[in-house]
Amino acid sequence: MDMRKRNFLKVTAMAGSALAVNCLLPRLGLAAAGSVASPMAAAATPSGQSMAAQSPACKAVSFEECQSLDCRTIAERSAIVQAAWNYLLEETGRISDPSLRGLVMDVYNDPTPRISEMDSVERKHVGNRLKLAGYTSQELDFLPPVFANMRERIPTIAAPGSGYGSHHAYPGGLITHVATNVKITANIVDVYRDVYGYDVNRDIAMAAQLLHDLHKPYVFQWQEDASSRTEQQLAGTGEHHVLSLAELLVRNAPADLVVAQACAHTHPGTEADEAQVVNWLTAASIIADVEPVQYGLLDKSGKTLPMPRRQEGFICHLGDHDFVLSVPAVQWTLPVLREIAMTDYKLSETDLQGKPFNTFRNMVYSNLSAMRLQQAYTQGRENMRALVHSLVQPV
């Protein structure tokens, strides 16, 4: 049976309920006093208002307590992550189309990938088609590992935003990354209306950004040493992008949404760039077992996006640019954080390569963010050190 038919009842069951935002996806309150230190208030705010606000510093946790926390607990106790999560729920609730709203709710509530439901025969067939098309290598299994308890193992709120040396690579990093990009996207939509006097399809633009990294909990699964799984390449980009598009197709998402989301990694403004988007949509179609032209993902030639090209994809691409600063913020602060871990927390070289340091850096980045640490670092190394000490007491 084709995967889309197999999942039809699952999709239609979630599509209509406007109340499910509150029922399935609970808003998070502030962490217990003394559990974390954070610069952010946990209360969500309406679009257009400031999401971040300085909050009184919580009592720093001990290094021993820090080491006892798993990735999910770290994310759930971070006021930054809480604020971002509540903001995303609020923006989801503002989507006027009930089917799109339901789709976002369903993914956030349970990111377990439906494309992983392929049996071994289907998986081998799809893998061979991807390899023949040049989208993957002979050595690469195109799907990450699947476990029986995926919903508990990969909760959306605890997922990292990218690979371990890249942006938002900490528990809850996906949520803060997406919240940043969603807020950027909302403002782009408003700016185009205010400056140019017209409206794009806000529901499509916002849903595309809300869902653009929907497979990161699956791709960047947390490992036993508190690091995240290494991402593979698929169709010339990080596998999460193509797998996310395939997931939308399996969930019967509208073509306009899938195309807009496909543009997150590059815009279709040039022939070469559009060819990449076409490749990603084609690879996703192979995985989901759909015909891309018939579905409405490509023009009848199969070589371009549907004509005329819609603006929501460009807006999704423009909104997905938090990484421009957040990637180097990690790369510039991580060496300093390693030095602080050795001198102030007595970690050994061996510790730096394993769970002791990974847990420490997860705690620091999740509660302070690499962005804030890097800004403190620009004002002097000691400022960054003091910020770390405000969260985790030195040994």
Side-chain angles (χ1 to χ4, degrees):
M1 180 185 299
D2 127 353
M3 293 183 65
R4 294 175 62 225
K5 291 180 181 177
R6 188 164 65 211
N7 286 289
F8 177 74
L9 293 178
K10 294 180 183 178
V11 176
T12 55
M14 63 81 188
S17 176
L19 295 177
V21 169
N22 291 325
C23 296
L24 295 179
L25 301 174
R27 296 167 70 90
L28 297 178
L30 280 168
S35 61
V36 293
S38 172
M40 297 193 65
T45 58
S47 179
Q49 297 182 15
S50 173
M51 183 172 65
Q54 293 293 325
S55 64
C58 297
K59 180 181 178 182
V61 301
S62 67
F63 182 74
E64 181 180 8
E65 181 180 356
C66 168
Q67 291 292 298
S68 71
L69 302 177
D70 60 27
C71 292
R72 181 166 189 164
T73 302
I74 289 173
E76 291 178 343
R77 291 173 62 171
S78 165
I80 290 178
V81 176
Q82 291 173 21
W85 178 251
N86 290 339
Y87 169 73
L88 292 179
L89 299 189
E90 183 146 336
E91 283 298 342
T92 298
R94 295 185 68 210
I95 296 175
S96 60
D97 184 323
S99 64
L100 287 181
R101 188 170 63 247
L103 175 61
V104 177
M105 291 189 303
D106 189 56
V107 170
Y108 276 30
N109 182 57
D110 183 4
T112 303
R114 293 181 183 170
I115 61 172
S116 69
E117 295 176 6
M118 285 184 281
D119 60 31
S120 59
V121 174
E122 291 174 309
R123 185 176 297 205
K124 183 177 180 180
H125 173 68
V126 172
N128 285 336
R129 290 185 63 192
L130 290 171
K131 292 169 186 174
L132 286 173
Y135 293 137
T136 184
S137 69
Q138 291 295 323
E139 294 77 24
L140 175 66
D141 183 354
F142 72 94
L143 289 177
V146 180
F147 301 91
N149 61 337
M150 292 297 283
R151 180 171 180 172
E152 291 301 314
R153 187 182 180 96
I154 57 169
T156 301
I157 195 169
S162 193
Y164 216 48
S166 189
H167 66 83
H168 301 90
Y170 53 82
L174 174 62
I175 296 303
T176 55
H177 169 62
V178 174
T180 302
N181 287 342
V182 166
K183 201 165 186 69
I184 292 170
T185 300
N187 281 300
I188 292 173
V189 171
D190 292 343
V191 165
Y192 280 20
R193 182 190 62 242
D194 294 345
V195 174
Y196 301 115
Y198 72 94
D199 288 307
V200 299
N201 187 321
R202 187 183 191 280
D203 278 357
I204 292 293
M206 295 300 286
Q209 198 65 260
L210 283 159
L211 293 172
H212 82 284
D213 280 340
L214 70 92
H215 253 294
K216 283 188 172 179
Y218 179 39
V219 168
F220 296 111
Q221 297 173 41
W222 290 111
Q223 306 298 297
E224 291 299 322
D225 67 352
S227 68
S228 59
R229 175 183 173 274
T230 300
E231 183 177 34
Q232 307 295 328
Q233 291 286 297
L234 184 58
T237 191
E239 63 186 326
H240 76 272
H241 187 56
V242 174
L243 295 180
S244 294
L245 298 174
E247 187 69 24
L248 286 185
L249 296 175
V250 170
R251 292 172 185 251
N252 297 295
D256 288 345
L257 171 62
V258 183
V259 173
Q261 183 169 315
C263 297
H265 281 199
T266 195
H267 64 83
T270 70
E271 185 176 338
D273 288 331
E274 185 170 27
Q276 291 187 70
V277 182
V278 169
N279 282 338
W280 300 332
L281 288 167
T282 304
S285 298
I286 291 173
I287 296 170
D289 193 23
V290 303
E291 207 293 314
V293 174
Q294 182 179 346
Y295 197 102
L297 306 176
L298 302 177
D299 183 70
K300 61 183 180 180
S301 69
K303 297 180 180 179
T304 72
L305 301 185
M307 300 292 184
R309 299 171 185 87
R310 297 178 58 110
Q311 293 190 13
E312 290 80 13
F314 288 86
I315 292 172
C316 182
H317 174 67
L318 289 171
D320 186 26
H321 271 68
D322 170 50
F323 75 92
V324 173
L325 177 56
S326 56
V327 169
V330 170
Q331 295 171 345
W332 293 333
T333 57
L334 190 54
V336 183
L337 193 59
R338 287 178 180 275
E339 293 177 11
I340 293 173
M342 293 183 72
T343 59
D344 300 12
Y345 298 92
K346 313 306 179 187
L347 295 188
S348 67
E349 289 284 357
T350 301
D351 292 334
L352 293 180
Q353 307 305 316
K355 190 171 183 179
F357 178 71
N358 291 339
T359 301
F360 172 69
R361 60 150 283 172
N362 284 346
M363 181 70 172
V364 171
Y365 280 142
S366 183
N367 285 277
L368 298 174
S369 81
M371 304 286 283
R372 188 180 179 199
L373 286 172
Q374 200 275 328
Q375 176 61 17
Y377 183 45
T378 65
Q379 300 167 0
R381 183 180 296 252
E382 290 307 309
N383 285 324
M384 178 174 159
R385 171 177 272 109
L387 196 56
V388 174
H389 286 182
S390 75
L391 174 69
V392 182
Q393 297 169 345
V395 176

